[in-house]
Amino acid sequence: MDETQGTQEAQGTQQTQGTQQAQGTQQTQQTQQTPDTVFQNSQQTALGQNAQTQGQNGQNQGQDGQTQGQQQAPETYDFTKAVTDVYGEGGELDAETTKQFTEQLKQLNATQEQANTIAKFGLEYAKSVGQATMQAVHQAYEKQISDWGEQSKKELGVDFEKKVAQATVTRGYLDKLIPNFTEMLNQTGAGNHIAMIKALAALSEFIKEDSGTGTGTGASMNNSIYDNTDFSKY
Protein backbone atom coordinates (compact mmCIF):
# COMPACT_ATOMS: atom_id res chain seq x y z
CA MET A 1 0.00 0.00 0.00
CA ASP A 2 2.77 2.40 0.89
CA GLU A 3 4.64 1.36 -2.22
CA THR A 4 1.64 2.16 -4.41
CA GLN A 5 1.24 5.58 -2.90
CA GLY A 6 4.94 6.29 -3.38
CA THR A 7 4.71 5.37 -7.03
CA GLN A 8 1.72 7.63 -7.56
CA GLU A 9 3.40 10.48 -5.78
CA ALA A 10 6.51 10.03 -7.89
CA GLN A 11 4.49 10.04 -11.11
CA GLY A 12 2.62 13.16 -9.99
CA THR A 13 5.82 14.88 -9.16
CA GLN A 14 7.34 13.90 -12.50
CA GLN A 15 4.25 15.12 -14.41
CA THR A 16 4.27 18.39 -12.51
CA GLN A 17 7.95 18.88 -13.24
CA GLY A 18 7.44 18.09 -16.95
CA THR A 19 4.62 20.58 -17.18
CA GLN A 20 6.66 23.23 -15.45
CA GLN A 21 9.64 22.50 -17.69
CA ALA A 22 7.51 22.78 -20.80
CA GLN A 23 6.03 26.05 -19.66
CA GLY A 24 9.50 27.34 -18.82
CA THR A 25 10.85 26.32 -22.22
CA GLN A 26 7.98 28.04 -24.00
CA GLN A 27 8.51 31.19 -21.97
CA THR A 28 12.26 31.07 -22.69
CA GLN A 29 11.64 30.71 -26.42
CA GLN A 30 9.33 33.69 -26.39
CA THR A 31 11.89 35.69 -24.46
CA GLN A 32 14.68 34.69 -26.90
CA GLN A 33 12.88 35.82 -30.08
CA THR A 34 15.21 37.91 -32.24
CA PRO A 35 14.49 41.58 -33.04
CA ASP A 36 14.00 40.62 -36.67
CA THR A 37 11.32 38.12 -35.71
CA VAL A 38 9.59 40.65 -33.55
CA PHE A 39 9.86 43.32 -36.35
CA GLN A 40 8.45 40.94 -38.92
CA ASN A 41 5.49 40.34 -36.67
CA SER A 42 5.03 44.11 -36.27
CA GLN A 43 3.95 46.78 -38.74
CA GLN A 44 6.67 47.54 -41.32
CA THR A 45 8.11 50.99 -41.59
CA ALA A 46 8.67 52.88 -44.83
CA LEU A 47 12.34 51.85 -44.90
CA GLY A 48 11.59 48.31 -43.82
CA GLN A 49 9.64 47.24 -46.85
CA ASN A 50 10.92 44.17 -48.60
CA ALA A 51 12.54 44.29 -52.02
CA GLN A 52 9.48 43.07 -53.85
CA THR A 53 7.32 45.80 -52.36
CA GLN A 54 9.94 48.43 -53.15
CA GLY A 55 10.23 47.16 -56.71
CA GLN A 56 6.50 47.33 -57.17
CA ASN A 57 6.42 50.83 -55.74
CA GLY A 58 9.25 51.89 -58.03
CA GLN A 59 7.46 50.43 -61.01
CA ASN A 60 4.28 52.22 -60.04
CA GLN A 61 6.17 55.48 -59.63
CA GLY A 62 7.77 55.01 -63.05
CA GLN A 63 4.39 54.41 -64.59
CA ASP A 64 3.00 57.46 -62.81
CA GLY A 65 5.90 59.58 -64.10
CA GLN A 66 5.39 58.28 -67.61
CA THR A 67 1.70 59.06 -67.41
CA GLN A 68 2.45 62.57 -66.18
CA GLY A 69 4.92 63.09 -69.01
CA GLN A 70 2.39 61.96 -71.57
CA GLN A 71 -0.17 64.28 -70.11
CA GLN A 72 2.22 67.24 -70.40
CA ALA A 73 2.74 66.83 -74.16
CA PRO A 74 0.19 68.88 -76.12
CA GLU A 75 -1.70 67.60 -79.13
CA THR A 76 -0.16 70.31 -81.33
CA TYR A 77 2.76 72.70 -80.89
CA ASP A 78 2.74 76.46 -81.41
CA PHE A 79 6.09 77.67 -82.77
CA THR A 80 5.09 81.33 -83.08
CA LYS A 81 7.30 82.49 -80.20
CA ALA A 82 10.38 80.63 -81.49
CA VAL A 83 9.90 81.99 -85.02
CA THR A 84 9.38 85.55 -83.77
CA ASP A 85 12.48 85.38 -81.55
CA VAL A 86 14.64 84.29 -84.49
CA TYR A 87 13.12 86.06 -87.51
CA GLY A 88 11.16 88.88 -85.87
CA GLU A 89 7.54 89.87 -86.32
CA GLY A 90 5.95 88.48 -89.44
CA GLY A 91 8.23 85.46 -89.61
CA GLU A 92 6.57 82.22 -90.61
CA LEU A 93 7.41 78.53 -90.47
CA ASP A 94 6.39 76.54 -93.52
CA ALA A 95 3.99 73.63 -93.14
CA GLU A 96 6.55 70.93 -93.95
CA THR A 97 9.05 72.16 -91.37
CA THR A 98 6.27 72.47 -88.79
CA LYS A 99 5.24 68.88 -89.48
CA GLN A 100 8.80 67.56 -89.11
CA PHE A 101 9.35 69.51 -85.89
CA THR A 102 6.08 68.19 -84.46
CA GLU A 103 6.87 64.56 -85.28
CA GLN A 104 10.29 64.73 -83.63
CA LEU A 105 9.04 66.56 -80.54
CA LYS A 106 6.20 64.12 -80.00
CA GLN A 107 8.71 61.26 -80.02
CA LEU A 108 10.55 63.11 -77.26
CA ASN A 109 7.25 63.71 -75.45
CA ALA A 110 8.25 67.38 -75.20
CA THR A 111 6.12 70.01 -73.51
CA GLN A 112 5.22 73.28 -75.26
CA GLU A 113 7.97 75.11 -73.39
CA GLN A 114 10.55 72.49 -74.36
CA ALA A 115 9.28 72.59 -77.94
CA ASN A 116 9.87 76.35 -78.14
CA THR A 117 13.41 75.96 -76.80
CA ILE A 118 14.29 73.19 -79.24
CA ALA A 119 12.63 74.93 -82.19
CA LYS A 120 14.42 78.20 -81.44
CA PHE A 121 17.79 76.45 -81.33
CA GLY A 122 17.09 74.69 -84.62
CA LEU A 123 15.93 77.86 -86.35
CA GLU A 124 18.92 79.86 -85.11
CA TYR A 125 21.29 77.16 -86.33
CA ALA A 126 19.60 77.01 -89.73
CA LYS A 127 19.72 80.80 -89.97
CA SER A 128 23.43 80.94 -89.16
CA VAL A 129 24.19 78.21 -91.71
CA GLY A 130 22.11 80.01 -94.32
CA GLN A 131 23.87 83.31 -93.68
CA ALA A 132 27.29 81.68 -93.88
CA THR A 133 26.33 79.99 -97.14
CA MET A 134 25.02 83.22 -98.64
CA GLN A 135 28.17 85.06 -97.62
CA ALA A 136 30.33 82.39 -99.22
CA VAL A 137 28.25 82.54 -102.43
CA HIS A 138 28.46 86.34 -102.50
CA GLN A 139 32.22 86.29 -102.03
CA ALA A 140 32.59 83.73 -104.82
CA TYR A 141 30.33 85.86 -107.03
CA GLU A 142 32.39 88.99 -106.45
CA LYS A 143 35.59 87.10 -107.17
CA GLN A 144 34.11 85.78 -110.40
CA ILE A 145 33.25 89.31 -111.57
CA SER A 146 36.75 90.50 -110.68
CA ASP A 147 38.25 87.58 -112.59
CA TRP A 148 36.15 88.46 -115.64
CA GLY A 149 37.59 91.99 -115.53
CA GLU A 150 41.13 90.68 -115.30
CA GLN A 151 40.49 88.28 -118.16
CA SER A 152 39.06 91.06 -120.35
CA LYS A 153 42.02 93.32 -119.59
CA LYS A 154 44.46 90.53 -120.44
CA GLU A 155 42.73 89.42 -123.64
CA LEU A 156 42.13 92.86 -125.11
CA GLY A 157 45.53 94.22 -124.06
CA VAL A 158 46.17 97.68 -125.48
CA ASP A 159 42.72 97.71 -127.10
CA PHE A 160 40.95 97.36 -123.78
CA GLU A 161 40.09 101.04 -123.29
CA LYS A 162 39.09 101.41 -126.95
CA LYS A 163 36.71 98.46 -126.85
CA VAL A 164 35.19 99.62 -123.56
CA ALA A 165 34.58 103.08 -125.03
CA GLN A 166 32.86 101.57 -128.08
CA ALA A 167 30.77 99.28 -125.89
CA THR A 168 29.75 102.31 -123.82
CA VAL A 169 28.13 103.87 -126.88
CA THR A 170 25.95 100.83 -127.35
CA ARG A 171 25.20 100.68 -123.67
CA GLY A 172 23.96 104.28 -123.69
CA TYR A 173 21.73 103.56 -126.66
CA LEU A 174 20.25 100.43 -125.13
CA ASP A 175 19.75 102.21 -121.82
CA LYS A 176 17.27 104.50 -123.54
CA LEU A 177 15.37 101.56 -124.98
CA ILE A 178 15.71 99.21 -122.03
CA PRO A 179 15.44 100.88 -118.61
CA ASN A 180 17.93 99.66 -116.01
CA PHE A 181 20.11 98.02 -118.65
CA THR A 182 23.26 99.46 -117.11
CA GLU A 183 22.06 98.45 -113.66
CA MET A 184 21.69 94.88 -114.94
CA LEU A 185 25.26 94.92 -116.24
CA ASN A 186 26.52 95.98 -112.83
CA GLN A 187 24.35 93.65 -110.75
CA THR A 188 25.16 90.56 -112.79
CA GLY A 189 28.76 91.49 -113.44
CA ALA A 190 28.16 91.00 -117.19
CA GLY A 191 29.74 94.41 -117.83
CA ASN A 192 33.14 92.90 -117.00
CA HIS A 193 32.72 89.83 -119.21
CA ILE A 194 34.81 89.78 -122.36
CA ALA A 195 31.90 88.51 -124.46
CA MET A 196 29.64 91.41 -123.42
CA ILE A 197 32.35 94.00 -124.03
CA LYS A 198 33.10 92.62 -127.51
CA ALA A 199 29.42 92.35 -128.42
CA LEU A 200 28.53 95.90 -127.38
CA ALA A 201 31.69 97.26 -129.01
CA ALA A 202 30.77 95.55 -132.30
CA LEU A 203 27.23 96.92 -132.21
CA SER A 204 28.52 100.46 -131.76
CA GLU A 205 29.46 100.53 -135.45
CA PHE A 206 25.76 100.34 -136.35
CA ILE A 207 24.58 102.96 -133.90
CA LYS A 208 24.54 106.60 -134.93
CA GLU A 209 26.74 108.70 -132.79
CA ASP A 210 24.94 110.98 -130.39
CA SER A 211 26.19 114.51 -129.93
CA GLY A 212 29.35 114.57 -127.86
CA THR A 213 29.84 110.83 -128.06
CA GLY A 214 32.50 109.18 -130.14
CA THR A 215 33.59 105.64 -130.82
CA GLY A 216 37.27 106.30 -131.01
CA THR A 217 39.95 105.97 -128.38
CA GLY A 218 39.32 109.55 -127.33
CA ALA A 219 35.97 108.68 -125.76
CA SER A 220 35.83 109.33 -122.05
CA MET A 221 36.33 106.29 -119.86
CA ASN A 222 33.83 107.83 -117.44
CA ASN A 223 31.13 106.55 -119.80
CA SER A 224 32.26 102.98 -119.51
CA ILE A 225 29.91 100.13 -118.72
CA TYR A 226 30.91 100.49 -115.09
CA ASP A 227 30.47 104.16 -114.30
CA ASN A 228 31.98 103.67 -110.88
CA THR A 229 34.75 101.35 -111.96
CA ASP A 230 38.33 102.57 -112.20
CA PHE A 231 39.65 100.54 -115.11
CA SER A 232 43.13 101.88 -114.56
CA LYS A 233 43.38 99.27 -111.82
CA TYR A 234 43.19 96.45 -114.37
Side-chain angles (χ1 to χ4, degrees):
M1 187 71 175
D2 292 337
E3 183 178 354
T4 300
Q5 291 178 351
T7 301
Q8 291 176 349
E9 290 176 358
Q11 291 177 348
T13 301
Q14 184 177 3
Q15 184 178 1
T16 300
Q17 292 176 349
T19 301
Q20 292 176 348
Q21 289 177 354
Q23 291 176 348
T25 301
Q26 184 178 0
Q27 184 177 1
T28 302
Q29 289 177 349
Q30 292 178 350
T31 303
Q32 293 178 349
Q33 284 182 331
T34 64
D36 291 340
T37 303
V38 173
F39 184 77
Q40 288 177 359
N41 292 332
S42 303
Q43 182 178 357
Q44 291 183 340
T45 65
L47 298 180
Q49 297 178 6
N50 58 37
Q52 182 178 1
T53 303
Q54 292 176 350
Q56 292 175 348
N57 290 340
Q59 184 178 2
N60 293 336
Q61 291 175 357
Q63 293 174 350
D64 291 342
Q66 184 177 3
T67 302
Q68 292 176 357
Q70 292 175 350
Q71 292 174 349
Q72 291 175 352
E75 290 296 327
T76 58
Y77 293 101
D78 183 5
F79 301 110
T80 303
K81 185 178 185 303
V83 174
T84 302
D85 289 345
V86 177
Y87 296 106
E89 294 293 339
E92 294 182 358
L93 197 62
D94 62 90
E96 183 60 27
T97 303
T98 300
K99 179 182 177 182
Q100 293 178 0
F101 263 134
T102 300
E103 290 176 351
Q104 296 299 322
L105 291 169
K106 277 191 172 294
Q107 291 181 6
L108 298 174
N109 198 32
T111 64
Q112 177 62 60
E113 183 178 358
Q114 292 170 334
N116 278 331
T117 301
I118 296 173
K120 182 178 179 180
F121 174 81
L123 292 174
E124 286 178 338
Y125 178 76
K127 182 179 179 180
S128 64
V129 171
Q131 290 175 339
T133 301
M134 289 298 297
Q135 183 177 2
V137 171
H138 181 69
Q139 290 175 347
Y141 166 75
E142 288 187 333
K143 184 178 185 303
Q144 180 65 73
I145 294 175
S146 178
D147 290 344
W148 284 343
E150 293 291 343
Q151 182 182 356
S152 297
K153 175 70 175 180
K154 182 178 180 180
E155 184 171 335
L156 294 175
V158 295
D159 290 333
F160 176 74
E161 291 187 0
K162 176 182 177 180
K163 292 296 182 182
V164 168
Q166 292 173 343
T168 299
V169 174
T170 305
R171 184 213 67 181
Y173 176 78
L174 292 176
D175 230 1
K176 296 176 182 179
L177 300 177
I178 308 173
N180 302 320
F181 180 74
T182 300
E183 183 179 355
M184 178 276 296
L185 294 176
N186 287 332
Q187 288 180 348
T188 62
N192 260 10
H193 200 284
I194 183 64
M196 181 63 72
I197 294 175
K198 286 183 176 181
L200 295 183
L203 289 173
S204 68
E205 300 295 333
F206 303 96
I207 298 175
K208 294 181 180 180
E209 297 183 9
D210 293 330
S211 177
T213 305
T215 58
T217 57
S220 173
M221 288 302 295
N222 290 332
N223 292 326
S224 65
I225 295 175
Y226 277 99
D227 292 334
N228 297 323
T229 300
D230 183 3
F231 285 98
S232 63
K233 295 181 180 180
Y234 292 101

